[in-house]
Amino acid sequence: MAVNITSNYNGTTDDGTVVSDSVITTITGDVNQPMRYQCTVGTSAEMVLDYSTTKGFAQAEQGVTSYVRIVNRDDSNNCKIIVRGSGGTKTYTLILAPNEWHTIHGFDMSTGSGAVPTWENITQIDAQFDNAPGTIEITAINLA
Amino acid sequence: MPQVTISNTCASTGTSGAAFGLATTKAKKFKDYYTRELILGSDTSREAFKISENPVYAKIAYIHIENSGAEDAHITVDSGGNLSHHRLPAGQVWEHWNTGFWNNGSGANPDTIDGINVVGKTGITETTVKVTVFI
């Protein structure tokens, strides 16, 4: 089952060069090769998870939900990760120290409260380095 | 020797009322760990672990929760009083390095993790998760 992941990378390098790129990666197997993105200072490399396909990354289905593992591949700087839900208002934020990682499942955001809340899809993951350029690595695992 | 105490008040089979002390000389040495298997019932929240008091929670290095059962589980992360909810499908793993910043909405004022609860899916008799905390 194919899953499309669109990576939008926009920023300005230290010498003032404006960088803009958009890459669509289609995963057809169970595990995609790790994708690495260079982030400039203070800007975000946005990982837009496209679930417009029939059975996309974030489609909720018990037992077959796909997920991503995001790794901070920089050796000296922390990276801020911002995870956004499909409702447009919910986010959660975490910091990855050098070479730390975190797993994010496609159906991973609560819209309510209580022991068993209502869920919404993950649609976007942003990565940001505040002090120096750094590299993030994202591995998408498609279990659908 | 400085010590971080990880408590667990889970009432499910074989896990009731115990408290645990894990000794460490420095924060985040990644040399000791606490692990526990929890059985989750329908809609019943279980305390996977709770850090005893500020600032010893900073000694937690890494958290690994594996859903080893056949049904989905839900994870609730408490950070500074904010709750962040996450779904853990059957057979999958939720991992987090406790670098110190996590919340459910404010990137400007993040907090560290104070504790984590897990709960079974509505209508399901039970599923099993294995919780491992490294210090």
Side-chain angles (χ1 to χ4, degrees):
Chain A
M1 198 68 69
V3 176
N4 291 331
I5 295 180
T6 302
S7 301
N8 295 318
Y9 171 49
N10 299 286
T12 304
T13 61
D14 294 343
D15 63 2
T17 303
V18 175
V19 178
S20 180
D21 196 7
S22 180
V23 178
I24 298 176
T25 303
T26 300
I27 306 169
T28 55
D30 289 338
V31 179
N32 189 54
Q33 291 297 313
M35 297 172 285
R36 293 191 174 188
Y37 303 96
Q38 177 75 20
C39 302
T40 53
V41 178
T43 58
S44 297
E46 297 179 346
M47 183 78 172
V48 179
L49 305 172
D50 178 3
Y51 58 98
S52 60
T53 52
T54 302
K55 193 178 293 293
F57 171 85
Q59 183 169 349
E61 184 171 342
Q62 183 181 346
V64 295
T65 307
S66 301
Y67 66 100
V68 298
R69 175 177 289 120
I70 184 165
V71 187
N72 177 7
R73 285 299 184 189
D74 192 88
D75 290 331
S76 57
N77 289 292
N78 288 352
C79 179
K80 178 189 292 181
I81 305 298
I82 303 171
V83 184
R84 305 181 191 279
S86 57
T89 58
K90 288 286 185 179
T91 65
Y92 64 84
T93 303
L94 60 137
I95 299 292
L96 292 177
N99 297 307
E100 292 184 353
W101 65 85
H102 183 77
T103 49
I104 301 166
H105 293 86
F107 191 52
D108 195 23
M109 184 77 74
S110 165
T111 58
S113 60
V116 185
T118 302
W119 303 94
E120 66 181 36
N121 297 323
I122 300 300
T123 57
Q124 182 171 322
I125 302 169
D126 295 347
Q128 179 173 326
F129 289 84
D130 289 332
N131 299 317
T135 299
I136 59 168
E137 176 184 293
I138 295 175
T139 304
I141 294 96
N142 176 21
L143 300 177
Chain B
M1 177 180 292
Q3 181 164 314
V4 53
T5 300
I6 301 172
S7 65
N8 182 315
T9 59
C10 176
S12 61
T13 303
T15 60
S16 59
F20 306 89
L22 296 175
T24 180
T25 55
K26 292 183 179 180
K28 300 182 179 180
K29 291 287 288 184
F30 209 79
K31 59 181 291 189
D32 294 315
Y33 67 95
Y34 148 93
T35 186
R36 179 126 256 184
E37 192 168 78
L38 305 176
I39 299 173
L40 308 177
S42 171
D43 282 350
T44 302
S45 182
R46 305 297 192 198
E47 187 175 83
F49 68 89
K50 184 175 180 62
I51 311 304
S52 59
E53 60 181 306
N54 188 343
V56 292
Y57 57 73
K59 295 182 184 296
I60 298 296
Y62 173 74
I63 301 159
H64 182 281
I65 301 177
E66 175 186 1
N67 184 353
S68 55
E71 303 292 342
D72 289 359
H74 301 156
I75 299 170
T76 301
V77 180
D78 183 349
S79 58
N82 291 318
L83 300 179
S84 179
H85 300 278
H86 307 274
R87 187 184 190 217
L88 182 59
Q92 296 191 33
V93 170
W94 185 91
E95 300 171 288
H96 182 63
W97 288 85
N98 190 30
T99 300
F101 300 93
W102 179 285
N103 68 8
N104 64 343
S106 175
N109 185 29
D111 295 294
T112 48
I113 292 175
D114 301 315
I116 289 181
N117 283 12
V118 288
V119 63
K121 180 181 172 66
T122 301
I124 299 300
T125 302
E126 65 180 30
T127 191
T128 303
V129 296
K130 184 176 182 181
V131 179
T132 305
V133 179
F134 285 85
I135 61 176

